[in-house]
Amino acid sequence: MRGRAIKLRDLDLLLVAVIAVGGVFAWKTGRERERLTARYDRLAAITGDLKLTDPAKVHFQALETGDPMHFAWRIYYPPKCNPLIAGDDYDGGWWSKEPTESIGHVRFHGTERGDLDSYVRFPGGGQWGYHARGAPARFLIDHWNELEIEQIGAKGLAVINRDETVSLLRITFPDDLRDEAETLFPTHLVPVYYELKLGPDAAKP
Amino acid sequence: MMPEGPPLEADSPAAVNRRPPRRQLGIQQLILLVAAIAVWMTAYVNHQRNQSLDSRIRVMVPLAHELIVDDPSKIAVVKLEQSLSDDNRWDLYLPSGAYRLCLATRDVGKDGLAPVTKSVPIRSGNHRLALTQELTKTSGRVIVTEGKTVLLDMLEIAEWHDYGSDEKGHFSLNEQLPTDKPVILYRRRFYQPTGRPYESVMPKGPTEGILLWIERVDGSKLSGEFKAK
């Protein structure tokens, strides 16, 4: 009976030791988890929190910019993807053997001279674009909040097949502005004033 | 010699007494076992989660353009995300010491420094600098600001920038640099006319442009104004 008692006490001690070592590991990994979670949250506030649903597909998640003329996305491209992005003010493609994550921008801005310019930036590079001058520029800036804007990923994560062509950003004159827009802009810019596409057929009109 | 007795029946009381005692876990051992499994499971789950977070953070760091100071004795610098064609902003950390922010607009080579056009002392610590270029048909203006404070403001003639350029903003990824070498934030070189109509080339040697850098200076030679900052 005495030997059994001693063996059971040994087992108790062994279990206590296992708990102590495990407790230290759990505490250390818990602290590290807190630190990493805080860092992740801080970064996600800047870059957006993109959760991959299918690593073989392209993902677009719109980001909040605080500027109605500035559109941004957190983007994931699968490996060996050859994306092409094209529009009136941008034409860029690139290739990467590895999966790529990036932030893309389309930003319109009024200049001191009263013009409307744009800057489009994706992994293929950044391009400045001239949009309008004088009365047309003034019209666009004054009515910007009335334009119909469709931004992919704005209502949630957009998951796109790599051979699919989609519109990333489309800006359309609403019905009540079309008559006036037709007097200011060439016919091909009314009603769809701006469109930026992604995909193999992006460059096709 | 003891005479051998008749074999015992397997479940007779005597046979039971001869068996080695079967180790039985009491309630105390069960609790300890459950606690051991719980702490190790917690450690394992935390470890798995940490690995996942770490891999996601590695992807996000270059996208966030976050200033990271690994070594407080070194200069840390990162260029912020560019969302406009002339959007040049940097976050930087300067260790203790005296520094100056320098701007050159002439004799800008492909590499190295250029004669200082304007400079301003900049103290150690954290800074967010912005470079703005106003290039119009009549003039060129280069402004470096920190918040609403204008640190450098340089006006140039129109011909200075009239023929296109190559530009390079540095540090799109966070870097740590020694304090004894200048930190070049931005280099832009303007093309020069060839003399033939509508033709300009990039000179091989120094030319008009914009060079912005930070360098450490000898604190003992500082003016009172510098020290006051």
Side-chain angles (χ1 to χ4, degrees):
Chain A
M1 283 302 287
R2 194 179 164 198
R4 185 183 170 199
I6 288 169
K7 279 179 183 168
L8 280 178
R9 210 166 68 193
D10 286 348
L11 180 62
D12 290 354
L13 288 173
L14 178 67
L15 284 170
V16 168
V18 168
I19 290 167
V21 174
V24 170
F25 274 111
W27 178 74
K28 277 190 167 179
T29 52
R31 283 193 55 156
E32 180 69 357
R33 183 172 171 169
E34 270 179 32
R35 188 186 71 78
L36 290 172
T37 302
R39 182 150 163 69
Y40 182 86
D41 290 344
R42 197 171 66 246
L43 291 169
I46 302 168
T47 66
D49 189 8
L50 192 150
K51 289 188 166 52
L52 287 185
T53 58
D54 182 347
K57 293 184 177 178
V58 178
H59 292 55
F60 269 70
Q61 173 79 58
L63 300 177
E64 185 57 53
T65 65
D67 177 355
M69 300 176 95
H70 182 187
F71 307 92
W73 297 266
R74 171 83 181 276
I75 311 164
Y76 166 85
Y77 302 99
K80 296 176 184 170
C81 187
N82 185 23
L84 173 69
I85 292 180
D88 287 343
D89 55 357
Y90 189 82
D91 188 358
W94 66 98
W95 189 88
S96 172
K97 190 178 174 185
E98 303 296 328
T100 311
E101 291 203 32
S102 70
I103 292 178
H105 295 270
V106 177
R107 190 169 183 183
F108 297 88
H109 61 106
T111 68
E112 288 182 355
R113 288 175 295 196
D115 302 341
L116 183 71
D117 290 352
S118 68
Y119 182 69
V120 182
R121 184 178 178 87
F122 286 95
Q127 287 175 25
W128 169 85
Y130 159 77
H131 274 270
R133 183 177 291 177
R138 191 76 267 145
F139 179 79
L140 283 166
I141 293 167
D142 287 348
H143 294 283
W144 192 266
N145 290 331
E146 299 161 56
L147 302 177
E148 291 169 2
I149 291 171
E150 299 161 76
Q151 180 187 13
I152 200 166
K155 291 175 183 168
L157 182 66
V159 182
I160 307 153
N161 290 320
R162 50 203 302 165
D163 58 350
E164 196 178 344
T165 297
V166 296
S167 178
L168 298 180
L169 182 67
R170 184 189 290 130
I171 300 174
T172 309
F173 291 110
D175 289 343
D176 57 333
L177 290 181
R178 281 180 198 173
D179 288 346
E180 196 176 349
E182 280 169 0
T183 66
L184 293 166
F185 297 93
T187 50
H188 72 277
L189 295 179
V190 183
V192 178
Y193 172 73
Y194 179 87
E195 186 163 29
L196 187 71
K197 291 180 181 175
L198 162 79
D201 297 331
K204 293 179 184 173
Chain B
M1 287 286 287
M2 289 283 288
E4 283 192 18
L8 294 168
E9 289 294 324
D11 48 357
S12 69
V16 170
N17 284 341
R18 272 199 206 171
R19 280 186 201 148
R22 187 183 292 165
R23 192 173 292 166
Q24 288 182 336
L25 292 177
I27 190 77
Q28 184 179 321
Q29 285 77 40
L30 273 174
I31 290 170
L32 288 172
L33 188 62
V34 169
I37 291 168
V39 292
W40 279 99
M41 278 297 290
T42 305
Y44 175 75
V45 169
N46 280 344
H47 178 68
Q48 294 292 103
R49 176 70 180 152
N50 290 349
Q51 282 193 321
S52 166
L53 281 169
D54 195 47
S55 67
R56 298 299 301 148
I57 286 170
R58 281 175 199 275
V59 171
M60 293 159 87
V61 163
L63 304 181
H65 298 260
E66 188 187 34
L67 182 71
I68 300 163
V69 181
D70 289 329
D71 181 352
S73 70
K74 288 186 174 177
I75 295 171
V77 57
V78 67
K79 188 172 188 285
L80 301 183
E81 176 78 3
Q82 185 176 358
S83 64
L84 286 173
S85 56
D86 60 350
D87 181 13
N88 291 290
R89 292 169 296 140
W90 297 266
D91 272 348
L92 60 102
Y93 163 80
L94 299 173
S96 60
Y99 302 86
R100 67 172 182 162
L101 177 67
C102 302
L103 175 69
T105 53
R106 305 272 170 170
D107 296 325
V108 177
K110 285 179 187 171
D111 43 36
L113 300 180
V116 176
T117 312
K118 281 195 173 181
S119 72
V120 65
I122 184 166
R123 63 185 166 207
S124 59
N126 285 74
H127 299 269
R128 175 168 289 183
L129 303 180
L131 171 70
T132 308
Q133 302 167 58
E134 295 171 3
L135 308 181
T136 68
K137 286 182 178 174
T138 54
S139 67
R141 191 176 174 195
V142 183
I143 306 164
V144 183
T145 53
E146 180 167 18
K148 290 180 179 175
T149 307
V150 175
L151 300 177
L152 294 167
D153 189 347
M154 181 68 201
L155 192 65
E156 280 281 3
I157 56 173
E159 290 74 18
W160 169 70
H161 68 84
D162 234 8
Y163 306 99
S165 67
D166 283 344
E167 68 176 315
K168 196 173 181 186
H170 297 260
F171 307 113
S172 58
L173 293 177
N174 187 84
E175 284 191 44
Q176 318 281 318
L177 303 150
T179 56
D180 58 349
K181 288 183 180 168
V183 176
I184 295 173
L185 299 174
Y186 184 81
R187 183 188 300 274
R188 183 172 188 175
R189 283 161 41 84
F190 294 120
Y191 284 64
Q192 294 301 318
T194 59
R196 289 191 285 268
Y198 309 112
E199 193 178 284
S200 58
V201 293
M202 176 56 73
K204 287 181 181 171
T207 181
E208 277 80 350
I210 301 168
L211 189 66
L212 181 70
W213 76 96
I214 289 172
E215 62 184 19
R216 191 165 190 170
V217 291
D218 184 352
S220 63
K221 293 178 184 173
L222 298 178
S223 67
E225 183 195 4
F226 193 118
K227 282 178 176 168
K229 291 191 178 188

